[in-house]
C-alpha cells in the first residue's frame, strides 16, 4: 500500500493529512489491541473496535459525498470543526453516520452500537460477572455471531457468550482495518462512489 510522506515542512493537502492521521490511528489501534488481548482487557478491546469503526464509518461517508462537499467536510475535520449537514448549521451526528453505514452493512452498526455502550459507564462493564450480550436483542446478538463465524470461523455454534467472542476481537479489528484501508485508497484517488457501490 502507498503511504503518504511524513517529512516535516512538506506541504500536504488536508485530504492527505487526514488520510495520514487515520492510518496512524489505525496502526495504533492494532498495537493497542495486541496489548489489551495479552492483558485480557475485553472492555477496552471493544472500545478499540468502536474507534476503528468510527474511522471506517467516517471514511465511507466521505467517499460517498460529492467532491466539493467532501472537501468542506475534510477541511472542517482537519481544522477541528464539527461536520454540519449540507445547507444547514445543524451538526452531523454520530447516529446519522451510523445510520448511513447501517444502510450499507448491518454488522457495522451492531458492532458500533455495542462498542458505544462500552465507552460510557454501564452495567456492560461488569462483563466478568455477567454476559453483556444479554442486553442486546436476539437479532443483534445473532448478527454479531454470524459475522464472526462467516469472517473468522468461530466461535462454534452453542458458544454464544461475550467470553466466546473476545478471542476473535483482534481478527475483527484486522478485518475492519483492511476495509478501512480500501476506503482510504478511494479517498487518495479522489473518487466518489455511490453508497450502493461501496460494499
Amino acid at each position: 500500500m502507498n503511504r503518504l510522506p511524513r517529512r516535516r515542512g512538506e506541504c500536504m493537502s488536508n485530504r492527505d493529512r487526514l488520510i495520514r492521521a487515520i492510518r496512524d490511528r489505525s496502526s495504533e489501534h492494532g498495537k493497542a489491541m495486541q496489548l489489551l488481548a495479552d492483558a485480557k482487557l475485553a472492555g477496552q478491546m471493544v472500545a478499540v473496535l468502536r474507534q476503528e469503526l468510527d474511522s471506517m464509518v467516517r471514511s465511507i461517508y466521505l467517499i460517498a459525498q460529492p467532491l466539493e462537499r467532501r472537501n468542506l467536510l475534510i477541511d472542517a475535520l482537519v481544522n477541528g470543526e464539527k461536520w454540519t449537514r449540507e445547507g444547514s448549521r445543524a451538526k452531523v451526528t454520530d447516529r446519522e453516520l451510523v445510520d448511513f453505514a447501517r444502510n450499507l452493512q448491518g454488522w457495522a452498526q451492531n458492532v458500533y452500537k455495542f462498542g458505544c455502550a462500552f465507552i460510557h459507564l454501564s452495567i456492560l462493564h461488569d462483563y466478568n460477572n455477567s454476559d453483556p450480550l444479554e442486553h442486546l436483542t436476539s437479532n443483534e446478538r445473532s448478527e454479531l455471531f454470524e459475522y464472526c463465524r462467516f469472517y473468522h470461523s468461530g466461535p462454534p455454534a452453542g458458544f454464544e457468550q461475550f467470553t466466546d467472542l473476545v478471542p476473535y476481537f483482534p481478527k475483527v479489528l484486522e478485518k475492519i482495518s483492511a476495509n478501512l484501508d480500501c476506503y482510504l485508497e478511494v479517498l487518495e484517488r479522489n473518487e466518489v462512489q455511490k453508497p450502493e457501490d461501496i460494499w
Side-chain angles (χ1 to χ4, degrees), residues 79-98:
N79 292 318
E81 300 166 3
K82 300 283 186 183
W83 285 356
T84 56
R85 295 181 193 142
E86 194 166 13
S88 169
R89 290 184 182 172
K91 306 295 183 224
V92 174
T93 65
D94 285 349
R95 177 86 237 149
E96 289 173 82
L97 295 172
V98 172

Side-chain angles (χ1 to χ4, degrees), residues 3-15:
R3 295 290 181 198
L4 297 170
R6 301 183 62 121
R7 291 185 294 261
R8 286 191 179 267
E10 181 177 357
C11 184
M12 295 179 76
S13 69
N14 281 346
R15 183 193 70 204

Side-chain angles (χ1 to χ4, degrees), residues 12-179:
M12 295 179 76
S13 69
N14 281 346
R15 183 193 70 204
D16 290 346
R17 289 178 63 203
L18 177 62
I19 291 168
R20 181 182 64 191
I22 293 171
R23 283 198 169 121
D24 286 350
R25 181 185 196 204
S26 185
S27 175
E28 189 172 292
H29 289 158
K31 292 171 189 170
M33 181 63 80
Q34 189 56 56
L35 293 170
L36 295 168
D38 292 345
K40 301 186 182 339
L41 298 173
Q44 294 306 306
M45 293 169 75
V46 174
V48 169
L49 289 175
R50 189 262 187 207
Q51 290 176 52
E52 190 76 348
L53 275 169
D54 177 70
S55 293
M56 188 180 81
V57 166
R58 289 177 189 278
S59 297
I60 291 169
Y61 187 79
L62 285 172
I63 65 176
Q65 301 304 310
L67 290 178
E68 186 176 340
R69 172 146 170 82
R70 178 192 296 173
N71 290 333
L72 290 173
L73 293 171
I74 289 172
D75 290 346
L77 198 93
V78 169
N79 292 318
E81 300 166 3
K82 300 283 186 183
W83 285 356
T84 56
R85 295 181 193 142
E86 194 166 13
S88 169
R89 290 184 182 172
K91 306 295 183 224
V92 174
T93 65
D94 285 349
R95 177 86 237 149
E96 289 173 82
L97 295 172
V98 172
D99 287 344
F100 177 80
R102 185 188 63 206
N103 291 331
L104 303 171
Q105 186 86 355
W107 67 266
Q109 192 253 2
N110 287 337
V111 174
Y112 192 90
K113 178 181 174 186
F114 189 63
C116 285
F118 273 87
I119 299 298
H120 306 289
L121 180 60
S122 72
I123 196 61
L124 298 182
H125 289 94
D126 193 31
Y127 57 83
N128 289 316
N129 301 300
S130 64
D131 189 350
L133 297 182
E134 292 174 4
H135 299 280
L136 299 179
T137 66
S138 59
N139 204 26
E140 290 168 336
R141 178 189 244 174
S142 177
E143 277 191 31
L144 283 175
F145 281 97
E146 285 176 28
Y147 163 80
C148 200
R149 289 181 183 124
F150 182 80
Y151 287 105
H152 308 296
S153 304
F159 292 85
E160 296 184 351
Q161 294 185 351
F162 180 70
T163 54
D164 300 319
L165 277 179
V166 172
Y168 296 92
F169 290 168
K171 291 181 179 181
V172 172
L173 179 67
E174 288 175 20
K175 177 71 174 160
I176 295 167
S177 298
N179 286 342

